[in-house]
Amino acid sequence: MIDVNGIADALGIPCMVSDKMRTAMDEWENAYTDKSSWLTKRVRSMRLPATIAREFKRLALTEISVSVTDDQLNKSMNAVVKQLRRKFDYGIATGGMLLKPYYSKNGAGVDISPQNHYLPVNFTDDSCNAVICPETIVLGKNFYTRLEYHYHDREKCTHTIENYCYRSGVPSSLGTACSLSEVSEWSDISPKKTFENAEKPLFAVFRMPDSNHIDLLSPLGVSAYADAMDFIRDADEQWERILWELVSSERAIDASEDLFRFRNGKPVLPEGRERMFRCLESTGNGSSIFNTFSPEIRDTSQFNSLNQILRRIENAVGLSYGTLSEMSEVEKTAEEIRSSKQRSFTRVCDIQEGLQESLSGLLYGMQYYRDYYSGSSKAAANLNVTFGDGILEDTEKELQRRFLLTQAGYYKPELLLSYYFGCTEEEARAMMPDNSMQSNASKLFEGDA
């Protein structure tokens, strides 16, 4: 988590990230990186936060298809999709992310930062129009931090970028202001630049679709697993109980020391079976102890408890039952399964809608920079984003149903091909053979052919 208060104080602007939100975002990131406060040497993480974030990323992006009417921007936007496949889960885990475009000789690109790595400054009509992006470089014993301040003026239709540099001897402090020229990588960066005729901000912000119940006045998004943090802790602790149950019930043989041979003051145990034997002191009355320790393992009740906790997590984050839990452990009706899938479908659709809006804002910024630095002025490019329909329904089963309807004569063949190949009806008709070819093909399956 960046020092949001220090950055806000340095630039003399109000900080929109409250102490509650700072604490919550730290907890979400710690959970994502397996550094939660309840984890110890014995209580280890089940890595549920990362699993939840990656599952939502998978559901949201598995069938995504992006196309832009401009060939150059289409190539750049599809490169962004590849970046999202690597980084989108981090944004889901932290509550959102910043998409900041730039332009170089290789074309338009984008920097992606999770919500806790930049500072939102202002929101207008629930849309972010000002952010500060920090970047740190270490040179010798000094820590240099560059603050890139973006703000959009909707009335003047301008987008301004200001750059500030600070030098410090410790990484946790901005230190004192200095010149950008002290860092060779930043020496060519202009301290201030204003772009005219910018109808929108030249960046885009994605936020998770849930309302912020951590801080009701905050416009920031919340983590996908914000409502499940307590259940995630319960799951980690229950997993430790299961492991302890297995270890504590491990078979062993307790025997008094007079039943062992000793070498260099240590009992000689069968090679490879050292864990099985436990040497006890002699009773002193001439009798020996030899006892087999093999208690019953209470694994069924322990795993059932864990499974119930996992179901609570699935319900809290909006995943369908069976994503984390074991479906075989719970009797479920078809309506219950359908309801849980619908919950997951609705949740993912909301995420996709927010992502599509962010990609649209990103495309505007990418085209603005491309046209500005190349000296061209082209018509606004159009973005088409499709996410597929495989979240709620089984596409293989649906294809089989449509195929049977086609065989029965209740469904047009071109509609079946259109569904299978994802093309238009006209393109599907062009794929179909003519009547003579169909007739000859059907004869192959006749007995007298």
Side-chain angles (χ1 to χ4, degrees):
M1 182 70 185
I2 61 175
D3 181 14
V4 292
N5 287 328
I7 293 175
D9 291 341
L11 298 188
I13 59 176
C15 182
M16 298 192 66
V17 183
S18 64
D19 291 339
K20 287 184 178 180
M21 279 302 297
R22 290 184 62 191
T23 301
M25 287 192 288
D26 284 340
E27 291 176 351
W28 300 334
E29 183 174 32
N30 288 337
Y32 181 77
T33 56
D34 297 332
K35 297 176 182 177
S36 296
S37 58
W38 61 80
L39 298 179
T40 63
K41 290 184 178 180
R42 292 186 60 179
V43 180
R44 291 179 289 178
S45 173
M46 291 186 67
R47 296 180 175 85
L48 291 174
T51 301
I52 292 168
R54 288 168 184 166
E55 180 62 14
F56 276 121
K57 179 184 73 172
R58 184 188 70 82
L59 292 173
L61 301 181
T62 294
E63 300 180 38
I64 188 174
S65 175
V66 175
S67 62
V68 182
T69 52
D70 185 289
D71 291 339
Q72 185 181 20
L73 293 175
N74 182 63
K75 181 179 179 181
S76 299
M77 187 60 70
N78 278 277
V80 173
V81 173
K82 291 183 179 179
Q83 286 183 264
L84 288 175
R85 293 189 185 279
R86 295 193 305 271
K87 299 181 178 181
F88 192 42
D89 52 329
Y90 198 3
I92 292 173
T94 56
M97 62 185 184
L98 173 69
L99 305 173
K100 183 166 66 71
Y102 62 87
Y103 188 76
S104 65
K105 62 180 180 181
N106 297 323
V110 61
D111 288 329
I112 300 178
S113 303
Q115 183 171 257
N116 56 344
H117 286 186
Y118 69 92
L119 175 61
V121 176
N122 188 49
F123 281 78
T124 301
D125 296 336
D126 202 37
S127 298
C128 184
N129 58 4
V131 294
I132 297 176
C133 307
E135 180 184 2
T136 300
I137 289 181
V138 181
L139 296 178
K141 297 181 179 180
N142 292 322
F143 296 84
Y144 289 90
T145 301
R146 179 173 67 91
L147 301 180
E148 188 175 280
Y149 183 15
H150 291 250
Y151 56 94
H152 177 258
D153 191 320
R154 186 167 58 178
E155 294 182 357
K156 296 180 179 179
C157 289
T158 60
H159 183 100
T160 304
I161 302 177
E162 297 180 1
N163 284 277
Y164 302 88
C165 189
Y166 295 86
R167 180 181 62 249
S168 175
V170 292
S172 58
S173 174
L174 282 178
T176 57
C178 65
S179 173
L180 290 166
S181 60
E182 292 190 24
V183 181
S184 58
E185 288 87 344
W186 301 339
S187 58
D188 295 333
I189 296 178
S190 174
K192 183 176 182 179
K193 187 173 183 61
T194 299
F195 298 92
E196 305 289 342
N197 300 320
E199 298 178 357
K200 302 178 183 178
L202 302 183
F203 59 81
V205 173
F206 166 79
R207 289 178 293 169
M208 288 295 288
D210 306 302
S211 61
N212 192 328
H213 64 283
I214 306 297
D215 184 352
L216 298 178
L217 300 178
S218 175
L220 301 179
V222 297
S223 170
Y225 47 82
D227 291 340
M229 289 294 290
D230 291 337
F231 294 136
I232 290 173
R233 176 172 183 167
D234 293 338
D236 288 342
E237 292 175 346
Q238 177 62 19
W239 181 243
E240 189 277 332
R241 295 187 189 100
I242 292 174
L243 295 178
W244 173 245
E245 178 71 21
L246 298 176
V247 172
S248 63
S249 59
E250 190 176 50
R251 180 179 300 175
I253 295 177
D254 298 322
S256 54
E257 61 183 6
D258 52 353
L259 296 179
F260 293 93
R261 290 181 299 150
F262 281 77
R263 181 181 302 157
N264 298 327
K266 296 182 179 180
V268 179
L269 303 177
E271 186 176 353
R273 297 291 186 271
E274 292 84 0
R275 292 174 55 186
M276 183 177 292
F277 293 91
R278 295 185 294 200
C279 182
L280 306 178
E281 293 184 3
S282 176
T283 60
N285 57 9
S287 62
S288 300
I289 298 175
F290 188 87
N291 178 53
T292 300
F293 178 79
S294 182
E296 181 181 356
I297 302 176
R298 303 169 298 173
D299 58 335
T300 301
S301 60
Q302 295 280 17
F303 277 107
N304 284 342
S305 298
L306 176 62
N307 203 53
Q308 290 298 320
I309 296 173
L310 294 178
R311 292 187 68 211
R312 298 296 185 277
I313 294 174
E314 290 168 337
N315 186 65
V317 303
L319 288 172
S320 59
Y321 291 134
T323 305
L324 304 174
S325 62
E326 292 289 339
M327 289 289 290
S328 59
E329 299 292 330
V330 184
E331 294 184 2
K332 299 186 66 62
T333 65
E335 184 59 31
E336 286 176 320
I337 295 174
R338 178 76 178 180
S339 177
S340 68
K341 286 187 176 181
Q342 183 65 47
R343 181 180 66 233
S344 178
F345 174 77
T346 303
R347 174 80 157 153
V348 173
C349 284
D350 289 342
I351 294 174
Q352 290 173 338
E353 183 179 351
L355 178 60
Q356 183 171 357
E357 183 178 348
S358 301
L359 291 177
S360 178
L362 173 64
L363 176 62
Y364 178 84
M366 294 172 70
Q367 181 169 11
Y368 185 97
Y369 283 136
R370 193 275 307 271
D371 293 348
Y372 180 86
Y373 286 106
S374 63
S376 61
S377 180
K378 298 183 179 180
N382 294 320
L383 174 68
N384 180 39
V385 182
T386 57
F387 293 98
D389 56 0
I391 302 172
L392 184 61
E393 65 179 14
D394 188 328
T395 53
E396 290 295 331
K397 289 183 179 179
E398 178 63 21
L399 176 64
Q400 184 64 22
R401 285 194 293 265
R402 299 192 186 199
F403 178 72
L404 293 175
L405 288 172
T406 304
Q407 281 187 321
Y410 295 110
Y411 197 69
K412 292 182 179 180
E414 57 266 31
L415 293 178
L416 178 66
L417 291 177
S418 175
Y419 173 78
Y420 183 78
F421 290 105
C423 59
T424 64
E425 290 186 41
E426 290 74 13
E427 292 172 334
R429 291 192 189 96
M431 299 179 190
M432 297 173 62
D434 56 36
N435 293 334
S436 60
M437 293 178 63
Q438 292 185 37
S439 176
N440 292 333
S442 64
K443 291 180 179 179
L444 293 177
F445 300 95
E446 296 178 358
D448 297 335

